[in-house]
Amino acid sequence: MTCYAIDGVIPVVSPKAYVHPTAVLIGDVIIEEGVYIGPFASLRADFGGIHIKKNANVQDNCVIHGFPNSVTVVEEYGHIGHAAILHGCQIGKNVLVGMNSVILDYAEIGENTIIGANSTVKAKAIIPTNVLALGSPAKVIRDLEAKEIAWKSKGTEEYIHLAQRCLNTLQEVEPHSEIQTGRLTYEVFDSQHQTKNN
């Protein structure tokens, strides 16, 4: 990861979190254990704070920032999809923010809620718990079913495991110049893993 202090304020990253080397953290950023921060994510806390709580994930190309004196919070098990933008907002526990969505200042997203891809949540909007909201501006479409919340939770568990996998095995390498005989693929890896654990 690339970390910068500003005005003497230094990011805090748990050793049990994974932050990709291309991600950038600036200033008053707190990353708790079990968190996954993906490639090219930018968490810039040079005006207000950013707090990513335990077992949440912030995926590739996400941008997090906020107005002066704000704190952008992603609660435990929050799931921030690729290229989403969070600006001075509060993301509740076990929320999914879909890819390319924008959550604006002082918006609050309630626990277990799903914000659909390509949605915009207006400044100061309050989205309740356990609902699906989407559109620009985002509107509540309906309540979520228990199976949909379980589906979301399963996806977040995969990112908690991914953080650990990255801590254990991710390394920069030179690519092969051609496909190698016996090259490991995820089809092979998964079958070997299942055999070993059964």
Side-chain angles (χ1 to χ4, degrees), residues 53-67:
K53 295 192 177 181
K54 185 177 178 182
N55 295 325
N57 67 78
V58 175
Q59 297 173 21
D60 321 54
N61 298 309
C62 287
V63 174
I64 304 181
H65 191 241
F67 285 145

Side-chain angles (χ1 to χ4, degrees), residues 129-156:
T129 62
N130 303 308
V131 299
L132 171 65
L134 51 87
S136 291
K139 295 180 180 172
V140 174
I141 302 302
R142 58 176 174 81
D143 291 339
L144 288 170
E145 298 177 20
K147 66 181 181 182
E148 293 170 312
I149 296 172
W151 167 84
K152 183 271 164 200
S153 296
K154 186 174 187 301
T156 301

Side-chain angles (χ1 to χ4, degrees), residues 89-170:
C89 55
Q90 304 288 309
I91 306 299
K93 184 176 180 181
N94 203 44
V95 162
L96 186 156
V97 175
M99 295 180 279
N100 287 305
S101 290
V102 178
I103 316 296
L104 292 171
D105 299 274
Y106 309 111
E108 297 179 18
I109 312 299
E111 185 172 341
N112 295 325
T113 281
I114 295 175
I115 304 297
N118 294 305
S119 296
T120 299
V121 176
K122 294 191 300 186
K124 300 182 181 179
I126 307 294
I127 307 292
T129 62
N130 303 308
V131 299
L132 171 65
L134 51 87
S136 291
K139 295 180 180 172
V140 174
I141 302 302
R142 58 176 174 81
D143 291 339
L144 288 170
E145 298 177 20
K147 66 181 181 182
E148 293 170 312
I149 296 172
W151 167 84
K152 183 271 164 200
S153 296
K154 186 174 187 301
T156 301
E157 285 292 334
E158 292 293 341
Y159 271 89
I160 296 167
H161 295 313
L162 179 60
Q164 193 60 54
R165 287 169 55 207
C166 289
L167 287 169
N168 292 340
T169 71
L170 188 73

Side-chain angles (χ1 to χ4, degrees), residues 1 14 17 20 26 48-49 71 90 143 157 170 176 196:
M1 82 192 86
S14 167
H20 191 273
I26 299 172
V71 180
Q90 304 288 309
D143 291 339
E157 285 292 334
L170 188 73
H176 296 302
K196 187 167 63 174

Side-chain angles (χ1 to χ4, degrees), residues 13-19 31-36 55 160 163-164 167:
V13 179
S14 167
K16 295 182 179 178
Y18 176 77
V19 181
I31 306 292
E32 294 189 7
E33 70 177 270
V35 166
Y36 172 88
N55 295 325
I160 296 167
Q164 193 60 54
L167 287 169

